[in-house]
Amino acid sequence: MPRRLVELPLLRSLKPGLHVHDEEALNAEPSLDLLDEAITPLGAFFIRNNGELPEIADAGAWTLTIDGEVERPAVWSLAALRETFETVTQTAVLECAGNGRSQFSPATDGLQWRLGAVGCARWTGVRLADVLEHAGPRRSAVYTAHHAPDRQIGNPEKAALSRGLPMAKAVAPETLIAFAMNGEPLPRLHGGPLRIVAPGYPGSAWQKWLDRVSLRTQEHDGEKMRGTDYRMPIRPLRPGEILDPANFAVITDMPVKSLITRPADGFTVAAGEMVTVAGFAWSGAVPLAGLELSHDGGRSWRAVALEPGEGPYAWRRFEARLPAGEPGTLTVMARAHDAAGNRQPLEMPWNPRGYCNNQVQRVRGAIIG
């Protein structure tokens, strides 16, 4: 029996509200109303897999190897990591680079995510920088390579995913080797016992089931690090244009974005009443600066205050009441911008892999008399 069918009952018991995509690998996302909390509950957090989930007989026996361009290679148990290094917690948004892919026209290849492949959690672990410093990185080290035991479906000899980080991000204080999520041991469905947490980077860089970090003298070329995988074109491309991987660069920053969690698409409101619009905004490396709302399809905008978040990589809540006029249609939109002046576009420029879609969300409803 395919492993996906074995895992489905577990997923549905732990996350009954998620939509499971019809894919070989196990992938699922919540409806947007389930994302209406500052810290996304485990039961509402999306699931992303590129291959088979690895079997883990004994999480307590898990080890992490550090090797490559280091002076002192090491093998760490979970207990030794906890005992040797400071434990820290980082609240951060995790978002799949393909979130919103289904909105591209013409359609692109890849999993057709709606808008739910995102969540904000408290991640607890040790700093990757501390573990690497203990190993003594050589000056020749420029990139990390991350390895895990998940394998491609139908090809158990080949890794499903092996990503990495530039050394500057690997040693940044926010980058963790995490063993807990929202105060609980990191669930297997989310990469437990160990995973990388790389705030601001796409979810593909947050390697799950981490069992080895190897320092390299070049940009890592592991599985899904080559070609056009998790890469954006460095110049605009037209549908149908021949793709040259040399014209693509690894995604190292997620764009500024917002999500309306209330009201739901298709809502109704009585004429003359107010409609409450709520949700979250976040950004990658560039700090979030503000948010605007529109209730007339984008003809006019009003600034809305953002509540404080749990640190620079957490999303920030917004909530406002907007008037409903005469009977008819009502389109509510949210548009965030960052400190560098980058603003969510009304329409996302097309790219061939459907990555980094941060176009303004439109929630359509009806005003009834």
Side-chain angles (χ1 to χ4, degrees), residues 53 80 134 170 180-181 183 193 196 201 233 242 262 267-268 271 298 342 353:
L53 275 72
H134 188 280
M181 179 180 182
I196 290 288
Y201 273 49
I242 295 176
R262 286 187 288 132
F267 70 92
T268 59
N342 300 303
R353 299 303 304 276

Side-chain angles (χ1 to χ4, degrees), residues 262-284:
R262 286 187 288 132
D265 204 45
F267 70 92
T268 59
V269 60
E273 297 294 324
M274 305 291 284
V275 57
T276 298
V277 181
F280 297 94
W282 65 95
S283 189

Side-chain angles (χ1 to χ4, degrees), residues 59 103 152-153 196 211 216 225 230 287 353 361:
Q103 297 182 333
Q152 294 184 11
I153 295 173
I196 290 288
D211 64 5
R216 303 204 57 185
M225 280 290 296
Y230 298 111
R353 299 303 304 276
Q361 177 189 4

Side-chain angles (χ1 to χ4, degrees), residues 35-103:
L35 297 177
D36 196 39
E37 295 188 42
I39 300 299
T40 308
L42 290 177
F45 221 99
F46 77 99
I47 295 292
R48 172 64 172 132
N49 290 292
N50 284 273
E52 300 274 14
L53 275 72
E55 292 188 30
I56 300 171
D58 182 4
W62 195 266
T63 60
L64 174 66
T65 298
I66 308 295
D67 62 13
E69 295 297 305
V70 297
E71 298 295 340
R72 297 175 294 278
V75 177
W76 296 94
S77 67
L78 268 67
L81 284 173
R82 290 172 175 266
E83 293 168 1
T84 306
F85 303 105
E86 180 185 11
T87 295
V88 295
T89 295
Q90 176 77 60
T91 302
V93 170
L94 169 60
E95 182 178 13
C96 179
N99 194 27
R101 180 181 283 126
S102 62
Q103 297 182 333

Side-chain angles (χ1 to χ4, degrees), residues 198-222:
Y201 273 49
S204 57
W206 297 43
Q207 189 93 32
K208 296 188 293 183
W209 309 295
L210 185 72
D211 64 5
R212 179 181 166 217
V213 176
S214 186
L215 269 55
R216 303 204 57 185
T217 60
Q218 64 184 55
E219 182 178 276
H220 184 43
D221 56 1

Side-chain angles (χ1 to χ4, degrees), residues 246-300:
N247 291 325
F248 287 73
V250 173
I251 301 168
T252 56
D253 187 26
M254 292 296 283
V256 65
K257 195 168 183 179
S258 61
L259 181 71
I260 296 173
T261 55
R262 286 187 288 132
D265 204 45
F267 70 92
T268 59
V269 60
E273 297 294 324
M274 305 291 284
V275 57
T276 298
V277 181
F280 297 94
W282 65 95
S283 189
V286 182
L288 180 67
L291 179 123
E292 303 164 295
L293 290 179
S294 172
H295 68 291
D296 56 11
R299 291 188 297 274
S300 64

